[in-house]
Amino acid sequence: MPREKRLYYNWPGKQTVENFKPGTLDRLGLGYEQMKEHNPRLIFASISGYGTTGPYAKRGGYDPIAGAEAGLLHVTGEHHGPPVRPGLGLVDMATGLYAHGAILAALHACGQHGIGQRIDASLFETQISLLTNVGMSWLNLGIEAERWGCQHPSIVPYDAFKTKDLYLVCGATNDAQFLKLCKLVDLESLAKDLRFSTNPKRVENRDLLGPILNSVFKTKTTAEWIDEFEGTGIPFAPINNIERTFSHPQAHARDMITEMPLNAAKSGHVRLIGPAVKFSGTKATIRTVPPRLGQHTDEILAELGIGKEQVDKLREENIV
């Protein structure tokens, strides 16, 4: 077996993930430079608001703050309306996903070269990377991004339309789909209208087209429109609340809800969200339930070399 493979499968290192303000662990004697002296294979992942260097390194980091300062809130909200924070901590979660991939990459590198490294991830840089197309449009063309609500900046129609009872998201990503959509909503004349016959013209006249389509979608329920759209090839979906999301047949078919025993729960079990990615050879499962408060305190303190008598004393003093 080649040396790099042997190192990879017998990797005796440790992984650490921390999200203190930069410099905090260094002051405690637990920073990367200090810890790698004890274990050169250490993978040390730091997650902060702005990274470990630069003029903003000492600032604390929070999801909506990074979203504001790195452009997300600028592009989120109704057209000509105020900025809106997304309903989920997208920057927090995306940073965690980036760090996850980086840790795996660092483990692979350690397997090849036998040494670990520090991973430096930040909410600010994550959000900048998520700007993708609007960021590239600014960098290369000087085009400032706008808020579009549920609309698409360059494809029309593509919106959340109010139905008789709920909402339906649908769109026409090309002229052929627009013709199909016009036939489906019994407005074939729109496809022949020079103001709407091509996507560039529809983008130009979106404020004229939108009210026409809105008036039609209000005539039927979302369920009725779903029956109309099914099998047409036009992209569509209802806007589901959380209850309908977790009762969705696709969510059940793809094992996105799992149940595990949990004595601490009144029901004796806890329902969890399943893994988002499936593997053909190694089935992804949730093997442990969420830990209770302080459940692993003894194990962690033991790893730090703190004996049982000292742990008992820390408990008596309500320190742990």
Side-chain angles (χ1 to χ4, degrees):
M1 181 180 291
R3 180 175 180 273
E4 63 270 21
K5 293 290 185 182
R6 185 168 63 251
L7 279 170
Y8 184 80
Y9 290 112
N10 295 282
W11 183 77
K14 289 285 187 179
Q15 306 150 59
T16 296
V17 180
E18 59 90 11
N19 68 335
F20 291 96
K21 284 185 180 180
T24 300
L25 287 183
D26 294 323
R27 291 195 299 272
L28 297 173
L30 298 172
Y32 173 64
E33 294 299 328
Q34 295 133 314
M35 298 300 290
K36 75 174 184 180
E37 296 298 322
H38 301 282
N39 187 351
R41 291 188 171 92
L42 175 66
I43 307 298
F44 193 100
S46 297
I47 299 176
S48 60
Y50 293 88
T52 59
T53 60
Y56 282 43
K58 299 299 182 183
R59 287 197 181 187
Y62 302 90
D63 180 278
I65 302 302
E69 194 140 27
L72 175 62
L73 270 60
H74 174 72
V75 298
T76 306
E78 289 297 324
H79 193 44
H80 301 309
V84 175
R85 179 182 179 270
L88 297 170
L90 297 179
V91 186
D92 278 347
M93 291 187 286
T95 305
L97 288 170
Y98 276 166
H100 165 266
I103 290 169
L104 293 178
L107 286 170
H108 181 71
C110 183
Q112 291 183 312
H113 308 297
I115 57 172
Q117 58 188 303
R118 185 177 193 175
I119 294 163
D120 184 1
S122 76
L123 304 182
F124 181 71
E125 289 161 283
T126 290
Q127 177 46 48
I128 289 179
S129 76
L130 294 178
L131 293 176
T132 56
N133 58 314
V134 296
M136 294 297 288
S137 293
W138 164 254
L139 289 173
N140 295 285
L141 301 173
I143 298 174
E144 182 58 85
E146 300 181 55
R147 289 186 281 279
W148 289 105
C150 287
Q151 297 182 46
H152 195 283
S154 59
I155 299 174
V156 175
Y158 217 134
D159 203 353
F161 296 99
K162 181 74 174 71
T163 65
K164 188 180 284 186
D165 57 346
L166 298 168
Y167 286 90
L168 182 80
V169 174
C170 69
T173 61
N174 54 54
D175 294 340
Q177 284 189 356
F178 182 64
L179 177 58
K180 282 186 178 181
L181 177 63
C182 291
K183 290 180 179 179
L184 187 146
V185 299
D186 199 23
L187 289 173
E188 290 186 62
S189 61
L190 286 179
K192 301 175 183 177
D193 191 319
L194 293 180
R195 297 173 299 174
F196 313 126
S197 57
T198 65
N199 186 67
K201 296 301 290 184
R202 292 193 293 275
V203 170
E204 181 183 338
N205 296 295
R206 70 168 74 224
D207 291 339
L208 298 175
L209 180 60
I212 297 172
L213 293 176
N214 271 305
S215 64
V216 174
F217 279 105
K218 289 178 181 178
T219 62
K220 296 181 181 181
T221 66
T222 295
E224 290 172 330
W225 281 118
I226 288 174
D227 289 340
E228 297 275 358
F229 274 85
E230 199 69 59
T232 63
I234 300 172
F236 75 96
I239 295 183
N240 285 331
N241 62 12
I242 307 305
E243 178 184 1
R244 290 191 294 272
T245 297
F246 282 111
S247 63
H248 199 290
Q250 188 69 6
H252 286 272
R254 297 288 290 174
D255 298 324
M256 287 309 297
I257 304 102
T258 187
E259 187 174 294
M260 300 185 71
L262 182 65
N263 294 333
K266 288 183 179 180
S267 62
H269 65 267
V270 60
R271 301 178 74 197
L272 302 169
I273 299 174
V277 178
K278 309 303 189 281
F279 296 82
S280 64
T282 51
K283 181 177 173 60
T285 60
I286 298 177
R287 294 183 292 275
T288 59
V289 297
R292 298 187 305 277
L293 181 64
Q295 178 177 332
H296 300 108
T297 298
D298 287 359
E299 291 93 325
I300 292 171
L301 293 177
E303 286 185 7
L304 294 174
I306 300 175
K308 185 179 183 306
E309 291 185 3
Q310 192 173 355
V311 172
D312 291 340
K313 184 177 180 182
L314 291 172
R315 280 209 167 86
E316 289 175 7
E317 296 175 356
N318 294 318
I319 295 173
V320 299

